[in-house]
Amino acid sequence: MVTNGDDEVEVVPVRHVGRWIGALVVALVLAMLVHTVVFSKASGGTSSRFGWAIVFHYFTTREVLDGLALTLELTALAMTIGIVLGMIIAIMRLSHNRLVSGTAWSYVWFFRGTPVYVQLLFWFNIAALYKTVTIGVPFMNVTFLHLDLVAFFTPFHTAMVGLGLNEAAYMSEIGRSGLISVDEGQIEAATSLGMTRSQTLRLVILPQAMRVIIPPTGNEVISMLKTTSLAIAVSVTELLTAVTNIYSANYEIMPLLLVASLWYLIVTTILSIGQYYVERHYAKGALRTPPPTPLQRLRQDVRGVASKMRSPRRVRPKAAA
Amino acid sequence: MSTMTPAVAMVEARGVHKSYAGVEVLRGVDLTVQRGEVTCLIGPSGSGKSTLLRCINHLEKHDAGELRVDGHLVGYELRDGKLYERNNKQICAERSRIGMVFQRFNLFQHLTVLENITIGQVKVRNVSAAAATQRARELLARVGLDAKEENYPSQLSGGQQQRVAIARALAMEPKLMLFDEPTSALDPELVGEVLDVMKDLARSGMTMVVVTHEMGFAREVADTLYFLDQGVIEESGDPREVLANPQSARLRSFLSKVL
Ligand SMILES: Nc1ncnc2c1ncn2[C@@H]1O[C@H](COP(=O)(O)OP(=O)(O)O)[C@@H](O)[C@H]1O
Ligand SMILES: [Mg+2]
């Protein structure tokens, strides 16, 4: 085809036939799924198969909400223990002192190497082994702390300590990978300014390590939210235990499992959004332009589609060549 | 040479040795840096130039020999005929008065240009935030980057980053500035802007030790030139003379490669 100089011609995009067929199949499967989950009736009955009326009825009952509160509390406390202790262990791993780094390594080895379920049962029964603990210097009469284990290890505390100590092992590995991701030159620059080792760690290394640490930590929080359901082993009435208690009385198993699942999904969604903004905060300086917020991205998408629909793309062949 | 009794040199190295895992990197380095002078250090890659700078700045401990900065033994204190190792706090205080500029800039990536220049003043020297900011702005104006204070390092060109790095070091009011190949990581057209800042600094009377491959800069600005080869000073003296009339075969062969 011969074009004359500056005339604009329309650009015809490639038609992706395979992509359209794929999308059609997916849409069909989704429609069937929505139909069976939401609209289909139970065999031989008039109520919906999944008992949505029952789901809505129990969704905000006292028992379920109390269970949810306990789940959130347990997640927050266990993660706090996990993150604080995990970072300490991560820093210990990098110590030049072999005893210190070796101890940190052994901690991770032990807690990663045994099932968390077993650890929970272990803490639940520890009071049988030690009625009290005294923290002090062995072989001398020096005491810092005295703890009555029988009184301390309530079901809630057992779950909190058990999940938190286990989490610390995983968090320490995440922390360590973050710490070693920071360029050696950053440490040299801080040192040459006269910063102490702890200033360098706090002011230079940790803030930059955060970029690497945050995404898997968000993953861990969400994972912890669901792992708290293991606290059923030590009879804490968190969310899952709460719905189990209800359905063991009324036998509406599926609707109540849906109640719990929906709550887990809602909290996970909120956590994911929070994680996005925390990540964005710690990306400061790492990228030339910060990534758009979800709202900004939505606006860009809408604008893009709108402008595509309004007019086909046109170019001047000469300029495009 | 001054006829008055000379002040103590800023850097005085006598037979400095340093090994890494049994490999001798510095094999008896002798070097003197007078106050207010610019000393250039040249030599092939791996000859120990960076190691020497790092020893001067207490980033590495030398194994043997005597190394004095501003009259004080680096890393040790002589009391009652014994050498006492300095503790971390003393070493940090010493380092804070020696500025260091790196080949790869090493600006703090998570801080803005302004924060890069204030953090050392505030956290190490306990200067107030307001005073630190004011000093940072003056220094940014001096290196020609006053419009960039809110930018992050990743948003600057290499030449701009290196100028910020120089400002960051100057903010600590150093008595000595060390430069480790400050222009080697830069695109050729950006080398000039960094060298200009360094020339300006030299004119202001700053004591500087510059590891460089920029022979033009050495010839024009340096008071003394040292050629380091395989861990020893092979040749030294007035840069114009040394460069025009190299005595050793090693320096001749080195110069033929870089010029
Ligand atoms: N931390 C270190 N551990 C082991 N070897 C090192 C270390 N730093 C430098 N070296 C070695 O010491 C020698 C001199 O290095 P360097 O001082 O960086 O040379 P230059 O700066 O002159 O290129 C090189 O062979 C290098 O491999
Ligand atoms: Mg080097």
Side-chain angles (χ1 to χ4, degrees):
Chain A
M1 192 182 81
V2 180
T3 54
N4 55 338
D6 280 354
D7 277 355
E8 282 189 341
V9 296
E10 189 178 322
V11 178
V12 182
V14 179
R15 304 267 175 230
H16 300 280
V17 180
R19 211 182 281 175
W20 277 106
I21 295 173
L24 210 67
V25 172
V26 171
L28 197 68
V29 171
L30 284 179
M32 292 189 324
L33 207 63
V34 168
H35 175 260
T36 181
V37 170
V38 182
F39 298 104
S40 77
K41 301 287 178 243
S43 346
T46 51
S47 60
S48 69
R49 195 186 294 270
F50 280 85
W52 287 103
I54 303 167
V55 171
F56 285 123
H57 175 256
Y58 280 103
F59 200 62
T60 51
T61 50
R62 181 90 249 155
E63 262 178 295
V64 168
L65 289 184
D66 283 350
L68 176 67
L70 217 55
T71 289
L72 293 178
E73 210 177 320
L74 199 52
T75 305
L77 289 171
M79 274 318 289
T80 306
I81 294 175
I83 290 171
V84 172
L85 187 59
M87 285 315 292
I88 293 171
I89 294 167
I91 292 164
M92 283 170 68
R93 277 291 291 275
L94 301 177
S95 167
H96 294 306
N97 185 314
R98 283 284 179 80
L99 183 66
V100 174
S101 63
T103 305
W105 183 89
S106 311
Y107 183 96
V108 176
W109 170 76
F110 180 79
F111 282 93
R112 249 187 0 179
T114 52
V116 63
Y117 194 78
V118 174
Q119 289 169 30
L120 281 173
L121 293 175
F122 178 84
W123 292 114
F124 197 53
N125 293 295
I126 189 93
L129 253 54
Y130 294 89
K131 298 267 181 286
T132 59
V133 273
T134 304
I135 297 179
V137 182
F139 314 117
M140 288 187 241
N141 274 329
V142 186
T143 307
F144 302 125
L145 179 82
H146 190 79
L147 194 66
D148 182 350
L149 282 192
V150 181
F152 178 78
F153 274 113
T154 61
F156 184 80
H157 281 158
T158 304
M160 176 185 91
V161 168
L163 294 173
L165 293 185
N166 182 256
E167 186 56 35
Y170 289 90
M171 279 308 304
S172 79
E173 285 296 284
I174 291 171
R176 193 169 67 94
S177 65
L179 294 178
I180 61 180
S181 76
V182 178
D183 181 29
E184 194 88 26
Q186 298 285 308
I187 299 161
E188 247 180 28
T191 310
S192 79
L193 283 180
M195 287 189 194
T196 61
R197 269 175 72 94
S198 89
Q199 281 178 320
T200 303
L201 187 67
R202 267 185 301 117
L203 304 171
V204 176
I205 303 177
L206 273 179
Q208 295 189 58
M210 281 303 185
R211 230 170 70 72
V212 173
I213 291 174
I214 296 287
T217 302
N219 222 17
E220 289 295 307
V221 175
I222 287 167
S223 167
M224 176 62 79
L225 176 76
K226 295 171 298 175
T227 309
T228 54
S229 59
L230 284 185
I232 203 167
V234 292
S235 53
V236 175
T237 45
E238 45 67 58
L239 183 55
L240 185 67
T241 316
V243 303
T244 315
N245 288 345
I246 300 173
Y247 74 57
S248 60
N250 68 5
Y251 302 108
E252 298 285 3
I253 298 176
M254 285 302 266
L256 279 154
L257 287 180
L258 270 177
V259 167
S261 302
L262 285 175
W263 272 121
Y264 283 123
L265 274 174
I266 289 168
V267 177
T268 303
T269 307
I270 294 168
L271 288 174
S272 305
I273 294 170
Q275 179 186 347
Y276 180 86
Y277 282 94
V278 176
E279 270 177 36
R280 201 163 174 274
H281 173 79
Y282 282 106
K284 263 190 325 189
L287 305 166
R288 291 197 156 199
T289 46
T293 63
L295 259 177
Q296 290 170 337
R297 193 177 309 171
L298 189 69
R299 243 180 270 138
Q300 279 171 11
D301 285 351
V302 170
R303 228 179 288 137
V305 171
S307 75
K308 252 192 213 161
M309 304 234 282
R310 231 180 293 121
S311 58
R313 197 154 68 91
R314 305 179 74 86
V315 295
R316 294 203 169 102
K318 260 208 173 151
Chain B
M1 267 282 149
S2 156
T3 49
M4 295 183 297
T5 40
V8 198
M10 184 57 84
V11 181
E12 187 87 57
R14 290 288 160 263
V16 169
H17 283 258
K18 171 76 194 173
S19 313
Y20 288 113
V23 181
E24 258 198 323
V25 174
L26 298 180
R27 302 183 299 140
V29 171
D30 294 329
L31 164 145
T32 307
V33 178
Q34 298 295 350
R35 279 158 206 279
E37 289 199 342
V38 177
T39 301
C40 277
L41 191 57
I42 60 172
S45 172
S47 57
K49 306 181 295 297
S50 298
T51 305
L52 182 58
L53 288 195
R54 293 165 56 80
C55 286
I56 294 173
N57 201 13
H58 311 68
L59 287 171
E60 296 284 356
K61 254 190 212 155
H62 58 287
D63 309 322
E66 197 176 304
L67 183 57
R68 286 175 188 274
V69 173
D70 202 12
H72 303 296
L73 284 172
V74 169
Y76 300 93
E77 198 173 4
L78 188 64
R79 266 187 280 135
D80 317 323
K82 278 189 192 159
L83 282 181
Y84 289 89
E85 273 193 22
R86 284 176 196 274
N87 62 28
N88 279 334
K89 209 173 152 201
Q90 292 170 314
I91 290 177
C92 286
E94 285 288 316
R95 271 195 203 115
S96 74
R97 302 304 304 276
I98 302 173
M100 184 129 180
V101 174
F102 303 89
Q103 182 174 352
R104 286 173 52 243
F105 331 132
N106 298 348
L107 290 179
F108 302 129
Q109 298 295 313
H110 62 303
L111 300 179
T112 63
V113 163
L114 194 73
E115 290 165 342
N116 261 280
I117 305 176
T118 54
I119 189 168
Q121 301 183 68
V122 173
K123 300 293 178 179
V124 177
R125 307 206 50 210
N126 298 318
V127 175
S128 74
T133 303
Q134 195 193 340
R135 180 161 174 75
R137 293 208 166 113
E138 286 165 14
L139 286 166
L140 278 176
R142 184 165 164 194
V143 300
L145 287 172
D146 24 358
K148 299 284 185 189
E149 64 172 61
E150 287 307 318
N151 285 94
Y152 285 96
S154 62
Q155 297 167 324
L156 303 183
S157 74
Q160 291 171 332
Q161 288 191 54
Q162 195 60 298
R163 286 187 278 154
V164 174
I166 294 173
R168 174 176 69 177
L170 290 177
M172 304 300 283
E173 301 184 317
K175 52 190 180 189
L176 167 68
M177 285 282 286
L178 308 174
F179 295 81
D180 193 356
E181 302 196 31
T183 58
S184 296
L186 298 176
D187 292 336
E189 77 270 23
L190 302 178
V191 168
E193 64 188 58
V194 172
L195 291 183
D196 284 345
V197 168
M198 291 169 62
K199 284 175 196 168
D200 176 59
L201 194 57
R203 272 194 295 274
S204 76
M206 177 62 74
T207 311
M208 297 161 63
V209 179
V210 184
V211 172
T212 188
H213 293 298
E214 297 290 332
M215 296 305 154
F217 176 85
R219 197 178 288 117
E220 186 187 339
V221 181
D223 297 289
T224 317
L225 181 78
Y226 285 89
F227 172 57
L228 186 65
D229 187 55
Q230 298 181 350
V232 286
I233 299 293
E234 187 79 27
E235 230 173 302
S236 66
D238 181 275
R240 284 155 293 263
E241 236 157 73
V242 173
L243 291 174
N245 196 10
Q247 300 298 305
S248 63
R250 290 194 164 279
L251 179 54
R252 274 196 294 275
S253 120
F254 173 71
L255 289 177
S256 72
K257 279 175 210 143
V258 295
L259 285 179

